[in-house]
């Protein structure tokens, strides 16, 4: 972590979640907010030339891993809800959007992350019009 800056891991994860929405078919994990959360400039660059932002060796595998991880996590929430769980904590939330896509009105979502990363997310949420 660099003081007063969002986690680089959170930044890269957000980019790969968005890239999954653009590059992969079929989608393993659908997140309609992922592209907007990375910011207009980065989203425009991703849509224009995704291969430039995802040019590192192993990028497709890492992108797939992150998509599968998100899908499994959200399936686990659904299963836990069936057992009566009504609270979820997302540690290292970064730009994760589950709290804003949560289909379960009876489940409260708490996000925990480094303060600089949370501040960055609040700015991103405001920029895209999400409360």
């Amino acid at each position: 972590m660099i003081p007063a800056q969002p986690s680089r891991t959170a930044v890269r994860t957000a980019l790969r979640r968005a890239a999954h929405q653009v590059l992969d078919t079929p989608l393993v994990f659908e997140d309609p907010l992922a592209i907007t959360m990375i910011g207009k400039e980065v989203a425009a660059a991703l849509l224009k030339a995704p291969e430039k932002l995802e040019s590192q060796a192993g990028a497709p595998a890492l992108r797939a891993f992150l998509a599968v991880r998100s899908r499994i996590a959200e399936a686990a929430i659904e299963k836990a809800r069936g057992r009566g769980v009504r609270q979820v904590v997302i540690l290292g939330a970064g730009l994760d959007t589950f709290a804003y896509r949560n289909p379960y009105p009876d489940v409260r979502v708490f996000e925990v992350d480094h303060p600089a990363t949370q501040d960055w997310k609040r700015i991103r949420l405001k920029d895209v019009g999400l409360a």
Side-chain angles (χ1 to χ4, degrees):
M1 286 291 306
I2 299 171
Q5 290 189 14
S7 156
R8 289 183 297 187
T9 302
V11 172
R12 298 297 297 164
T13 299
L15 177 59
R16 289 202 164 93
R17 287 171 63 95
H20 173 63
Q21 305 305 302
V22 174
L23 295 171
D24 300 323
T25 305
L27 290 176
V28 171
F29 176 72
E30 292 186 41
D31 183 351
L33 300 175
I35 294 171
T36 59
M37 289 299 290
I38 60 174
K40 289 180 183 176
E41 291 177 13
V42 178
L46 175 63
L47 294 170
K48 182 178 178 183
E51 66 284 350
K52 287 184 180 179
L53 291 178
E54 284 288 276
S55 62
Q56 292 178 319
L62 182 54
R63 193 171 64 244
F65 166 78
L66 293 171
V68 169
R69 180 181 74 172
S70 294
R71 182 165 177 166
I72 289 170
E74 291 187 19
I77 293 168
E78 180 179 12
K79 201 175 212 180
R81 183 178 170 269
R83 295 189 313 269
V85 170
R86 295 297 179 259
Q87 295 182 16
V88 173
V89 176
I90 302 174
L91 296 175
L95 290 183
D96 187 276
T97 64
F98 178 74
Y100 308 93
R101 299 178 290 102
N102 179 2
Y104 314 114
D106 58 338
V107 174
R108 285 184 72 185
V109 180
F110 298 89
E111 296 184 338
V112 179
D113 211 322
H114 188 275
T117 301
Q118 287 184 311
D119 289 343
W120 173 60
K121 184 171 190 170
R122 285 185 191 102
I123 292 166
R124 295 294 325 117
L125 290 167
K126 184 178 177 187
D127 287 349
V128 300
L130 289 173

